[in-house]
Amino acid sequence: MARWSYVFLSAVAVMGANAASSVLDLIPDNFDKVVLKSGKPALVEFFAPCTPLRYKNNRHEPLTDSGCGHCKNLAPVYEELAENFAFAKDQITIGKVDADEHKDLGRRFGVQGFPTLKWFDGKSDTPEPYDGGRDLDSLSSFISEKTSIKVRTKKAAPSAVELLNDQTFKQNIGQDKDVLVAFTAPWCGHCKSLAPVWETVAKDFTAEPRVLIAKVDAEAENSKSTAEAQGVKSYPTIKYFPRGSTTPEPYEGGRSEQAVLDFMNQKAGTHRTVGGGLDTNAGIIASLDMIVQKLTAGGSLAAVSQEASSAALGLKDRYAEYYVKVFEKLGKSEGYVQKELGRLEGLIKKGGLAPEKLDDVVSRSNILRTFTAKAKSKEEL
């Protein structure tokens, strides 16, 4: 049941992401018709997909995160580009080719690295390489110059990234939050590429009151002093400030959404996934999980339940009481865990839950799943 639920939720997330995409997926069956013979110009990205992060022993210990880092960074920019030109989809195609899966298409057009962007005029099979910047402004300007189509940008939603100045920096650093700060400059191309990733990460942590994703305009008059005090000499410079500390740790990891999430999850003790959801360890308390193992290994329910109650008294974690509740419910009904887990998974599948409620349901499901997973292992022995 645990594995099925995890796969189901992952599949739903993937399907949702794909359904919302404004970028056209190009494959051998439709490439020539759409790109070469339609008479409509097209900007095509040849990319290599990333390999989803895996974990050791189903715990939050990163094992692998492979794939094209530049492709990951370009993805949100390219998606926004396609959304901004969606109104002109009868005049311009913005597409992508998984050149790892469709190697023949990549070889056909001389693709040797990822991501590679090429411009097709819709009439010939000889594309023009795109060698400009990979930020939204550069890509939009290129298309507008080629087609005379003026981009229509959507009204920007309020940013989830906290913009800090000299005053607010001092107010937020060293307090009760784990803070990740990007020091940027308006003219910096790498900063522009990082911007949509930073925004996405900030949204992923919106429901985490003790995590702050922020940025400092290192050249603005009201924040220049902060950048100088932090010894910022290149852009973007990213620094992590632990909760309660003003001493930073340089962030030297990848600049993809997944890489930044992994770093902050490890530092802040959170369990966020791409898209802002929770992973399978959210809600689980290691000390109480060990007590669950005693029960499923054949221990007395009464004795183990008492031990869990005593252990929970010294814990501040909000889910400590839930462990105690589960033990109490098991004392009244042997089938409680399976029945309650089914109910919670039904709520998740139905959708429509407020973010805070969804987090709570996922966390409680994770706790219940430790009981069923270990019980199953015992039966199989």
Side-chain angles (χ1 to χ4, degrees):
M1 174 65 76
R3 177 59 182 165
W4 182 91
S5 302
Y6 178 80
V7 172
F8 171 79
L9 292 173
S10 299
V12 168
V14 170
M15 288 189 294
N18 289 342
S21 179
S22 296
V23 180
L24 180 63
D25 285 309
L26 298 168
I27 59 176
D29 288 346
N30 69 0
F31 190 93
D32 285 13
K33 180 180 179 180
V34 173
V35 178
L36 304 182
K37 301 177 181 179
S38 66
K40 182 170 61 175
L43 181 65
V44 179
E45 175 199 5
F46 294 84
F47 73 99
C50 63
T51 300
L53 193 72
R54 295 186 291 116
Y55 297 96
K56 298 176 182 177
N57 301 321
N58 203 31
R59 298 299 183 190
H60 198 77
E61 301 175 50
L63 182 62
T64 60
D65 183 13
S66 60
C68 169
H70 292 299
C71 299
K72 295 179 191 176
N73 292 337
L74 178 61
V77 177
Y78 203 64
E79 181 64 40
E80 186 173 357
L81 178 74
E83 290 175 359
N84 290 345
F85 280 95
F87 74 95
K89 60 184 178 181
D90 59 333
Q91 303 173 63
I92 171 74
T93 295
I94 296 177
K96 62 182 179 181
V97 172
D98 182 341
D100 188 45
E101 180 178 355
H102 306 298
K103 293 182 174 62
D104 288 345
L105 278 178
R107 283 193 291 265
R108 180 180 174 187
F109 296 104
V111 175
Q112 297 182 334
F114 305 113
T116 291
L117 291 166
K118 291 183 180 286
W119 175 260
F120 294 81
D121 62 12
K123 302 174 184 178
S124 72
D125 59 358
T126 304
E128 172 187 339
Y130 172 80
D131 298 319
R134 291 175 180 172
D135 58 279
L136 185 61
D137 289 343
S138 297
L139 288 162
S140 298
S141 296
F142 175 81
I143 292 177
S144 293
E145 289 172 4
K146 288 290 186 182
T147 64
S148 297
I149 301 172
K150 293 183 179 180
V151 64
R152 293 182 188 173
T153 57
K154 295 181 179 179
K155 185 177 180 180
S159 176
V161 177
E162 187 78 17
L163 179 61
L164 302 177
N165 55 37
D166 294 334
Q167 181 179 357
T168 56
F169 185 88
K170 294 175 182 178
Q171 294 172 348
N172 282 278
I173 302 302
Q175 303 304 313
D176 61 350
K177 295 181 180 180
D178 290 280
V179 186
L180 190 64
V181 183
F183 294 84
T184 64
W187 49 263
C188 167
H190 290 298
C191 298
K192 292 178 182 179
S193 296
L194 177 65
V197 176
W198 214 242
E199 185 67 39
T200 301
V201 171
K203 290 177 180 177
D204 290 341
F205 282 106
T206 298
E208 295 291 347
R210 304 187 76 176
V211 173
L212 180 65
I213 306 300
K215 68 178 180 180
V216 170
D217 182 345
E219 295 196 346
E221 289 301 321
N222 66 349
S223 52
K224 187 182 297 183
S225 295
T226 294
E228 292 174 353
Q230 291 296 322
V232 175
K233 298 184 183 302
S234 61
Y235 309 116
T237 290
I238 303 173
K239 296 192 176 190
Y240 164 69
F241 294 84
R243 193 178 307 165
S245 174
T246 57
T247 303
E249 174 185 330
Y251 174 77
E252 298 172 339
R255 291 178 182 174
S256 67
E257 178 186 3
Q258 184 69 72
V260 180
L261 277 172
D262 292 338
F263 177 85
M264 285 304 290
N265 280 333
Q266 181 184 24
K267 294 295 183 180
T270 50
H271 297 278
R272 293 294 159 185
T273 61
V274 169
L278 290 174
D279 67 20
T280 55
N281 292 310
I284 294 175
I285 303 172
S287 59
L288 295 178
D289 193 36
M290 292 177 66
I291 296 175
V292 173
Q293 294 181 43
K294 293 182 180 180
L295 175 67
T296 57
S300 163
L301 175 59
V304 177
S305 180
Q306 181 58 48
E307 183 181 354
S309 297
S310 299
L313 289 175
L315 299 175
K316 296 182 180 180
D317 193 301
R318 60 179 292 196
Y319 288 105
E321 292 184 3
Y322 187 66
Y323 274 89
V324 175
K325 176 183 177 181
V326 174
F327 275 108
E328 291 176 349
K329 292 289 186 178
L330 276 173
K332 299 176 181 179
S333 173
E334 186 177 349
Y336 169 76
V337 170
Q338 289 82 0
K339 183 178 180 180
E340 178 64 4
L341 180 57
R343 185 184 74 84
L344 295 181
E345 289 179 339
L347 291 175
I348 295 172
K349 182 178 180 181
K350 183 178 179 181
L353 297 174
E356 185 176 345
K357 180 63 176 178
L358 177 60
D359 283 353
D360 180 55
V361 171
V362 169
S363 297
R364 285 189 284 151
S365 297
N366 289 342
I367 293 171
L368 291 171
R369 206 168 284 120
T370 64
F371 285 81
T372 61
K374 292 183 178 69
K376 183 177 180 181
S377 297
K378 180 186 174 185
E379 291 171 3
E380 290 173 349
L381 291 175

Short mmCIF file of all heavy atoms in Angstrom, two decimals, residues 147-189:
data_model
loop_
_atom_site.label_atom_id
_atom_site.label_comp_id
_atom_site.label_asym_id
_atom_site.label_seq_id
_atom_site.Cartn_x
_atom_site.Cartn_y
_atom_site.Cartn_z
N THR A 147 10.13 37.58 -35.70
CA THR A 147 8.74 37.45 -36.15
C THR A 147 7.93 38.75 -36.13
O THR A 147 6.83 38.78 -36.67
CB THR A 147 8.00 36.44 -35.25
OG1 THR A 147 7.96 36.97 -33.92
CG2 THR A 147 8.70 35.09 -35.25
N SER A 148 8.46 39.77 -35.48
CA SER A 148 7.74 41.04 -35.27
C SER A 148 6.54 40.87 -34.34
O SER A 148 5.68 41.75 -34.26
CB SER A 148 7.26 41.63 -36.61
OG SER A 148 8.37 41.94 -37.44
N ILE A 149 6.47 39.74 -33.65
CA ILE A 149 5.41 39.52 -32.66
C ILE A 149 5.86 40.10 -31.33
O ILE A 149 6.92 39.75 -30.82
CB ILE A 149 5.11 38.02 -32.49
CG1 ILE A 149 4.68 37.39 -33.81
CG2 ILE A 149 4.03 37.80 -31.43
CD1 ILE A 149 4.56 35.88 -33.76
N LYS A 150 5.08 40.98 -30.78
CA LYS A 150 5.42 41.58 -29.50
C LYS A 150 4.90 40.70 -28.36
O LYS A 150 3.73 40.30 -28.35
CB LYS A 150 4.83 42.98 -29.39
CG LYS A 150 5.45 43.97 -30.37
CD LYS A 150 4.88 45.37 -30.17
CE LYS A 150 5.54 46.37 -31.13
NZ LYS A 150 4.98 47.75 -30.94
N VAL A 151 5.78 40.39 -27.45
CA VAL A 151 5.44 39.50 -26.36
C VAL A 151 4.38 40.12 -25.46
O VAL A 151 4.35 41.34 -25.25
CB VAL A 151 6.69 39.13 -25.53
CG1 VAL A 151 7.27 40.36 -24.86
CG2 VAL A 151 6.38 38.05 -24.51
N ARG A 152 3.49 39.27 -24.95
CA ARG A 152 2.50 39.69 -23.98
C ARG A 152 2.79 38.99 -22.66
O ARG A 152 2.63 37.78 -22.55
CB ARG A 152 1.09 39.32 -24.45
CG ARG A 152 0.62 40.06 -25.68
CD ARG A 152 -0.81 39.62 -26.02
NE ARG A 152 -1.26 40.15 -27.30
CZ ARG A 152 -2.40 39.82 -27.88
NH1 ARG A 152 -3.22 38.95 -27.27
NH2 ARG A 152 -2.74 40.34 -29.05
N THR A 153 3.24 39.73 -21.72
CA THR A 153 3.56 39.13 -20.43
C THR A 153 2.36 39.21 -19.50
O THR A 153 1.61 40.19 -19.51
CB THR A 153 4.75 39.85 -19.77
OG1 THR A 153 4.43 41.24 -19.64
CG2 THR A 153 6.00 39.70 -20.59
N LYS A 154 2.19 38.16 -18.73
CA LYS A 154 1.10 38.15 -17.77
C LYS A 154 1.45 39.07 -16.60
O LYS A 154 2.61 39.30 -16.30
CB LYS A 154 0.88 36.72 -17.23
CG LYS A 154 0.42 35.74 -18.28
CD LYS A 154 0.20 34.37 -17.66
CE LYS A 154 -0.29 33.37 -18.69
NZ LYS A 154 -0.48 32.02 -18.10
N LYS A 155 0.42 39.61 -15.99
CA LYS A 155 0.65 40.45 -14.83
C LYS A 155 1.34 39.62 -13.76
O LYS A 155 0.86 38.55 -13.36
CB LYS A 155 -0.68 40.98 -14.29
CG LYS A 155 -0.51 41.97 -13.15
CD LYS A 155 -1.85 42.52 -12.71
CE LYS A 155 -1.67 43.52 -11.56
NZ LYS A 155 -2.97 44.07 -11.11
N ALA A 156 2.48 40.10 -13.34
CA ALA A 156 3.30 39.32 -12.40
C ALA A 156 2.59 39.16 -11.06
O ALA A 156 2.04 40.12 -10.50
CB ALA A 156 4.64 39.99 -12.21
N ALA A 157 2.62 37.93 -10.57
CA ALA A 157 2.07 37.68 -9.24
C ALA A 157 3.07 38.19 -8.20
O ALA A 157 4.25 38.33 -8.50
CB ALA A 157 1.85 36.18 -9.06
N PRO A 158 2.61 38.49 -7.00
CA PRO A 158 3.54 38.93 -5.95
C PRO A 158 4.65 37.90 -5.76
O PRO A 158 4.41 36.71 -5.74
CB PRO A 158 2.64 39.03 -4.72
CG PRO A 158 1.27 39.24 -5.26
CD PRO A 158 1.23 38.44 -6.53
N SER A 159 5.87 38.39 -5.64
CA SER A 159 7.01 37.49 -5.50
C SER A 159 7.01 36.80 -4.15
O SER A 159 6.67 37.40 -3.12
CB SER A 159 8.32 38.25 -5.69
OG SER A 159 9.42 37.40 -5.47
N ALA A 160 7.38 35.52 -4.15
CA ALA A 160 7.51 34.76 -2.91
C ALA A 160 8.90 34.96 -2.31
O ALA A 160 9.16 34.56 -1.16
CB ALA A 160 7.27 33.27 -3.16
N VAL A 161 9.81 35.57 -3.08
CA VAL A 161 11.17 35.83 -2.61
C VAL A 161 11.18 37.14 -1.82
O VAL A 161 10.65 38.16 -2.27
CB VAL A 161 12.15 35.94 -3.79
CG1 VAL A 161 13.55 36.28 -3.29
CG2 VAL A 161 12.16 34.64 -4.59
N GLU A 162 11.77 37.10 -0.65
CA GLU A 162 11.86 38.30 0.19
C GLU A 162 13.04 39.15 -0.25
O GLU A 162 14.19 38.71 -0.23
CB GLU A 162 12.04 37.89 1.66
CG GLU A 162 11.96 39.03 2.65
CD GLU A 162 10.54 39.48 2.94
OE1 GLU A 162 9.61 38.72 2.62
OE2 GLU A 162 10.38 40.58 3.50
N LEU A 163 12.75 40.39 -0.68
CA LEU A 163 13.81 41.31 -1.09
C LEU A 163 14.30 42.05 0.15
O LEU A 163 13.56 42.82 0.77
CB LEU A 163 13.28 42.30 -2.12
CG LEU A 163 14.29 43.35 -2.63
CD1 LEU A 163 15.47 42.66 -3.33
CD2 LEU A 163 13.60 44.32 -3.59
N LEU A 164 15.56 41.83 0.51
CA LEU A 164 16.12 42.42 1.72
C LEU A 164 16.97 43.64 1.41
O LEU A 164 17.70 43.66 0.41
CB LEU A 164 16.97 41.38 2.47
CG LEU A 164 16.26 40.09 2.90
CD1 LEU A 164 17.25 39.14 3.55
CD2 LEU A 164 15.10 40.40 3.83
N ASN A 165 16.90 44.63 2.26
CA ASN A 165 17.78 45.79 2.16
C ASN A 165 18.63 45.86 3.42
O ASN A 165 18.59 44.94 4.26
CB ASN A 165 16.96 47.07 1.95
CG ASN A 165 15.90 47.27 3.03
OD1 ASN A 165 16.11 46.97 4.21
ND2 ASN A 165 14.74 47.79 2.63
N ASP A 166 19.38 46.95 3.58
CA ASP A 166 20.28 47.05 4.73
C ASP A 166 19.53 46.91 6.06
O ASP A 166 20.03 46.27 7.00
CB ASP A 166 21.01 48.40 4.70
CG ASP A 166 21.96 48.51 3.52
OD1 ASP A 166 22.42 47.47 3.04
OD2 ASP A 166 22.23 49.64 3.07
N GLN A 167 18.34 47.45 6.13
CA GLN A 167 17.58 47.40 7.37
C GLN A 167 16.93 46.04 7.59
O GLN A 167 17.06 45.43 8.67
CB GLN A 167 16.50 48.48 7.36
CG GLN A 167 15.66 48.51 8.62
CD GLN A 167 14.60 49.61 8.60
OE1 GLN A 167 14.53 50.39 7.67
NE2 GLN A 167 13.78 49.67 9.64
N THR A 168 16.21 45.53 6.58
CA THR A 168 15.49 44.26 6.76
C THR A 168 16.42 43.06 6.83
O THR A 168 16.06 42.03 7.40
CB THR A 168 14.46 44.06 5.63
OG1 THR A 168 15.13 44.13 4.36
CG2 THR A 168 13.38 45.13 5.69
N PHE A 169 17.62 43.19 6.26
CA PHE A 169 18.61 42.11 6.36
C PHE A 169 18.95 41.87 7.83
O PHE A 169 18.94 40.73 8.31
CB PHE A 169 19.86 42.48 5.57
CG PHE A 169 20.89 41.38 5.51
CD1 PHE A 169 20.85 40.41 4.51
CD2 PHE A 169 21.90 41.30 6.46
CE1 PHE A 169 21.80 39.40 4.46
CE2 PHE A 169 22.85 40.29 6.42
CZ PHE A 169 22.80 39.34 5.40
N LYS A 170 19.20 42.94 8.55
CA LYS A 170 19.55 42.82 9.97
C LYS A 170 18.37 42.30 10.78
O LYS A 170 18.55 41.60 11.78
CB LYS A 170 19.99 44.18 10.50
CG LYS A 170 21.28 44.70 9.89
CD LYS A 170 21.60 46.10 10.37
CE LYS A 170 22.87 46.63 9.71
NZ LYS A 170 23.17 48.03 10.14
N GLN A 171 17.16 42.62 10.34
CA GLN A 171 15.96 42.19 11.06
C GLN A 171 15.67 40.70 10.88
O GLN A 171 15.07 40.07 11.75
CB GLN A 171 14.75 43.00 10.60
CG GLN A 171 14.82 44.47 10.96
CD GLN A 171 13.71 45.28 10.31
OE1 GLN A 171 13.00 44.80 9.41
NE2 GLN A 171 13.54 46.52 10.75
N ASN A 172 16.10 40.12 9.77
CA ASN A 172 15.78 38.72 9.45
C ASN A 172 16.91 37.74 9.73
O ASN A 172 16.64 36.57 10.04
CB ASN A 172 15.38 38.61 7.98
CG ASN A 172 13.97 39.08 7.72
OD1 ASN A 172 13.01 38.35 7.92
ND2 ASN A 172 13.83 40.32 7.26
N ILE A 173 18.14 38.18 9.62
CA ILE A 173 19.27 37.28 9.83
C ILE A 173 19.56 37.10 11.32
O ILE A 173 19.55 38.06 12.09
CB ILE A 173 20.54 37.81 9.11
CG1 ILE A 173 20.27 37.98 7.62
CG2 ILE A 173 21.72 36.87 9.34
CD1 ILE A 173 19.84 36.72 6.91
N GLY A 174 19.81 35.85 11.72
CA GLY A 174 20.12 35.58 13.11
C GLY A 174 18.91 35.43 14.00
O GLY A 174 19.04 35.35 15.23
N GLN A 175 17.73 35.40 13.41
CA GLN A 175 16.50 35.27 14.18
C GLN A 175 16.02 33.82 14.19
O GLN A 175 16.83 32.91 14.26
CB GLN A 175 15.44 36.22 13.60
CG GLN A 175 15.87 37.68 13.57
CD GLN A 175 16.28 38.21 14.94
OE1 GLN A 175 15.58 38.01 15.94
NE2 GLN A 175 17.43 38.87 15.01
N ASP A 176 14.72 33.61 14.05
CA ASP A 176 14.16 32.25 14.20
C ASP A 176 13.94 31.55 12.88
O ASP A 176 13.17 30.59 12.80
CB ASP A 176 12.85 32.31 14.98
CG ASP A 176 11.79 33.15 14.28
OD1 ASP A 176 12.14 33.84 13.29
OD2 ASP A 176 10.62 33.13 14.72
N LYS A 177 14.62 32.01 11.81
CA LYS A 177 14.45 31.37 10.51
C LYS A 177 15.79 30.95 9.91
O LYS A 177 16.81 31.60 10.13
CB LYS A 177 13.75 32.34 9.53
CG LYS A 177 12.33 32.71 9.91
CD LYS A 177 11.73 33.65 8.88
CE LYS A 177 10.30 34.03 9.26
NZ LYS A 177 9.68 34.94 8.26
N ASP A 178 15.73 29.86 9.14
CA ASP A 178 16.87 29.48 8.29
C ASP A 178 16.72 30.29 7.00
O ASP A 178 15.68 30.21 6.33
CB ASP A 178 16.84 27.98 7.98
CG ASP A 178 17.15 27.14 9.20
OD1 ASP A 178 18.34 27.01 9.52
OD2 ASP A 178 16.20 26.64 9.85
N VAL A 179 17.75 31.07 6.66
CA VAL A 179 17.63 32.01 5.54
C VAL A 179 18.66 31.70 4.46
O VAL A 179 19.85 31.54 4.74
CB VAL A 179 17.83 33.46 6.02
CG1 VAL A 179 17.56 34.43 4.87
CG2 VAL A 179 16.92 33.77 7.21
N LEU A 180 18.19 31.61 3.23
CA LEU A 180 19.07 31.43 2.08
C LEU A 180 18.97 32.70 1.23
O LEU A 180 17.88 33.07 0.78
CB LEU A 180 18.65 30.21 1.26
CG LEU A 180 19.63 29.77 0.16
CD1 LEU A 180 20.95 29.31 0.78
CD2 LEU A 180 19.04 28.62 -0.66
N VAL A 181 20.10 33.37 1.05
CA VAL A 181 20.11 34.67 0.38
C VAL A 181 20.94 34.63 -0.90
O VAL A 181 22.08 34.16 -0.89
CB VAL A 181 20.69 35.76 1.31
CG1 VAL A 181 20.61 37.13 0.61
CG2 VAL A 181 19.94 35.80 2.63
N ALA A 182 20.36 35.13 -1.97
CA ALA A 182 21.08 35.29 -3.23
C ALA A 182 21.42 36.77 -3.40
O ALA A 182 20.51 37.62 -3.39
CB ALA A 182 20.24 34.81 -4.40
N PHE A 183 22.70 37.09 -3.51
CA PHE A 183 23.13 38.46 -3.77
C PHE A 183 23.26 38.60 -5.29
O PHE A 183 24.04 37.88 -5.92
CB PHE A 183 24.47 38.73 -3.08
CG PHE A 183 24.38 38.71 -1.58
CD1 PHE A 183 24.47 37.51 -0.88
CD2 PHE A 183 24.20 39.88 -0.86
CE1 PHE A 183 24.38 37.49 0.52
CE2 PHE A 183 24.11 39.88 0.53
CZ PHE A 183 24.21 38.67 1.22
N THR A 184 22.50 39.51 -5.86
CA THR A 184 22.41 39.62 -7.32
C THR A 184 22.68 41.04 -7.79
O THR A 184 22.78 41.98 -6.99
CB THR A 184 21.01 39.20 -7.79
OG1 THR A 184 20.04 40.13 -7.27
CG2 THR A 184 20.66 37.79 -7.32
N ALA A 185 22.80 41.19 -9.10
CA ALA A 185 22.95 42.49 -9.74
C ALA A 185 22.03 42.54 -10.95
O ALA A 185 21.86 41.53 -11.65
CB ALA A 185 24.40 42.72 -10.16
N PRO A 186 21.40 43.67 -11.24
CA PRO A 186 20.42 43.77 -12.32
C PRO A 186 20.95 43.39 -13.69
O PRO A 186 20.21 42.86 -14.52
CB PRO A 186 20.01 45.25 -12.27
CG PRO A 186 20.32 45.69 -10.89
CD PRO A 186 21.55 44.93 -10.50
N TRP A 187 22.23 43.62 -13.94
CA TRP A 187 22.80 43.39 -15.27
C TRP A 187 23.32 41.96 -15.45
O TRP A 187 23.72 41.56 -16.54
CB TRP A 187 23.96 44.36 -15.52
CG TRP A 187 24.94 44.40 -14.37
CD1 TRP A 187 24.97 45.30 -13.36
CD2 TRP A 187 26.00 43.47 -14.12
NE1 TRP A 187 25.97 45.02 -12.47
CE2 TRP A 187 26.64 43.89 -12.91
CE3 TRP A 187 26.48 42.33 -14.76
CZ2 TRP A 187 27.72 43.22 -12.35
CZ3 TRP A 187 27.57 41.66 -14.20
CH2 TRP A 187 28.17 42.11 -13.03
N CYS A 188 23.33 41.18 -14.38
CA CYS A 188 23.98 39.86 -14.37
C CYS A 188 23.11 38.80 -15.07
O CYS A 188 22.01 38.49 -14.63
CB CYS A 188 24.25 39.45 -12.93
SG CYS A 188 24.69 37.71 -12.70
N GLY A 189 23.64 38.23 -16.16
CA GLY A 189 22.91 37.21 -16.91
C GLY A 189 22.64 35.96 -16.10
O GLY A 189 21.56 35.38 -16.17
#
